[in-house]
Amino acid sequence: MSELFGIIGNPIEHSLSPLLQNEAYTLNGIDAHFQAFHIAPEDLEKAIQGMKAIGVKGFMVTVPFKAAVIPYLDEVDPIAKQKNAVNIVQYIDGKYVGFNFDGEAWLKALLEDMGQKSLRTEKILLLGAGGAAQSIYHTLTQFAEVHIDIANRTLDKAEALKKLGDSHPHTHVISLEEAESKQEQYDIIIQTTSIGMWPNIEESPIQITNLKTGAFVSDIIYNPAETKILEQARKSGARTQNGMKMLAMQNALAIERWTGQKVSYPKMMMSLKEALHST
Ligand code: NAP
């Protein structure tokens, strides 16, 4: 019998995961179907119970349920617990177990595009302190020698994020204005806010005018493919990356966890580009 996988969120109509997943199943001979489920927040518990009852073997979790889903899962992996956010759930021996691969997928995508095996002593600017930033920051704290400045509109949230990585020795919280004025100091700038996302494509959390030679700017937004900050960074001579590879890697990782089968994420990226081009 075909397996059923899915994604829960609200809104969920514009998710590209059903396209990526169902295409990957067809291309890789996986007998499964992937469905997007729009869920009202007050129905979350019933929805999780219902998915288990009908045999959904794995699902992705997106806004606004990444933290809210945790009480309704049977187990949560320690990293997802620490981040207080789950983005992939797997059915294991009768239990729904929650994981978080946002940070891991972002790091893999970054290192691949930078042509590096690891981070070393880079000076990093993390713009934003929301859910995605939390996961990325947690992943960055494994590199004790990097320097991380977290800049966010709401400084309290950036301070709370810094506490997440208490053992990381070189993290500072700064304002967006300070980040803009110190931009030439950074080797890597990571844009994790929702500023610049379609349809507000002319907005940017900081104006890029003066980057360090060789700087790398990573924006996790994938629609548009080139946000304002990436456009300014490219024009300033920086290497840039959008969020498509991170999204494709997340979907590939989910399939690997659920089915044990490795699928090609570059193919997913091509489908993403085509889908976004046609919207
Ligand atoms: P979130 O938890 O809602 O966090 C939003 C962040 O943006 C916060 O830091 C918030 O600052 C900041 N922000 C929003 N509007 C702002 C404004 N007008 N001025 C200044 N700061 C503003 O969202 P999230 O889940 O982290 O997602 C953030 C973005 O990442 C979204 O565009 C999402 O699509 C993208 N994303 C991409 C992937 C991928 O696979 N490529 C994965 C996850 C997320 P405050 O704290 O001050 O509110």
Side-chain angles (χ1 to χ4, degrees), residues 63 66 102 127-134 151-155 157-158 176 191-195 197 203 205 219-222 242-248 250:
V63 178
K66 287 184 180 182
D102 268 339
L127 294 167
Q134 204 164 315
N152 194 45
R153 172 179 61 179
T154 312
L155 287 176
K157 283 201 203 162
L176 288 171
Q191 195 313 101
T192 73
T193 76
S194 35
I195 308 172
M197 204 164 87
E203 294 174 10
D219 191 335
I220 67 168
I221 290 174
Y222 50 85
N242 65 22
M244 277 189 201
K245 191 175 272 191
M246 175 180 172
L247 183 68
Q250 302 254 33

Side-chain angles (χ1 to χ4, degrees), residues 1-276:
M1 197 176 70
S2 246
E3 297 289 10
L4 181 58
F5 304 111
I7 181 165
I8 61 169
N10 184 343
I12 198 66
E13 292 72 28
H14 298 294
S15 170
L16 291 167
S17 289
L19 167 82
L20 297 184
Q21 294 270 338
N22 285 315
E23 194 174 83
Y25 302 162
T26 306
L27 286 172
N28 294 278
I30 298 169
D31 186 13
H33 177 73
F34 187 96
Q35 179 67 41
F37 298 105
H38 177 105
I39 292 172
E42 61 276 19
D43 290 336
L44 183 59
E45 183 174 10
K46 279 188 282 177
I48 305 293
Q49 288 167 350
M51 288 200 297
K52 201 188 234 182
I54 61 172
V56 174
K57 292 289 162 51
F59 59 94
M60 302 177 89
V61 182
T62 188
V63 178
F65 299 130
K66 287 184 180 182
V69 75
I70 289 176
Y72 308 124
L73 300 177
D74 301 300
E75 283 174 21
V76 176
D77 151 88
I79 292 173
K81 203 176 270 175
Q82 198 174 359
K83 294 173 179 171
N84 194 36
V86 159
N87 72 334
I88 292 177
V89 175
Q90 185 180 5
Y91 183 82
I92 305 173
D93 298 332
K95 292 177 179 171
Y96 271 155
V97 185
F99 299 89
N100 187 311
F101 296 122
D102 268 339
E104 194 183 319
W106 170 79
L107 180 68
K108 270 188 171 184
L110 178 91
L111 292 176
E112 194 170 285
D113 284 359
M114 286 185 75
Q116 286 185 202
K117 290 238 172 326
S118 175
L119 294 178
R120 306 174 194 116
T121 56
E122 286 87 352
K123 188 141 194 215
I124 299 173
L125 171 63
L126 179 62
L127 294 167
Q134 204 164 315
S135 191
I136 288 172
Y137 178 64
H138 187 274
T139 301
L140 285 174
T141 59
Q142 68 186 275
F143 302 102
E145 300 302 317
V146 298
H147 286 67
I148 308 167
D149 282 352
I150 308 173
N152 194 45
R153 172 179 61 179
T154 312
L155 287 176
D156 285 353
K157 283 201 203 162
E159 288 290 354
L161 181 52
K162 181 184 163 189
K163 289 206 181 89
L164 237 189
D166 252 345
S167 57
H168 191 268
H170 315 294
T171 296
H172 296 97
V173 169
I174 60 173
S175 66
L176 288 171
E177 292 73 23
E178 196 181 342
E180 188 170 278
S181 68
K182 288 169 63 175
Q183 61 184 268
E184 80 286 356
Q185 297 186 6
Y186 300 106
D187 300 295
I188 302 172
I189 296 178
I190 312 157
Q191 195 313 101
T192 73
T193 76
S194 35
I195 308 172
M197 204 164 87
W198 189 88
N200 303 313
I201 58 172
E202 288 305 319
E203 294 174 10
S204 182
I206 62 171
Q207 298 302 315
I208 297 290
T209 49
N210 180 28
L211 289 177
K212 185 172 182 175
T213 306
F216 191 98
V217 181
S218 167
D219 191 335
I220 67 168
I221 290 174
Y222 50 85
N223 188 14
E226 187 176 66
T227 51
K228 193 78 192 166
I229 193 171
L230 285 192
E231 183 192 350
Q232 290 178 345
R234 175 177 55 79
K235 287 180 175 164
S236 302
R239 293 171 294 160
T240 63
Q241 167 193 71
N242 65 22
M244 277 189 201
K245 191 175 272 191
M246 175 180 172
L247 183 68
M249 279 185 169
Q250 302 254 33
N251 276 278
L253 263 168
I255 295 176
E256 197 177 329
R257 284 217 79 95
W258 297 335
T259 69
Q261 204 158 322
K262 272 195 184 302
V263 300
S264 153
Y265 74 83
K267 172 71 191 84
M268 287 187 177
M269 280 179 70
M270 276 166 56
S271 302
L272 263 177
K273 278 182 198 156
E274 279 167 25
L276 290 171

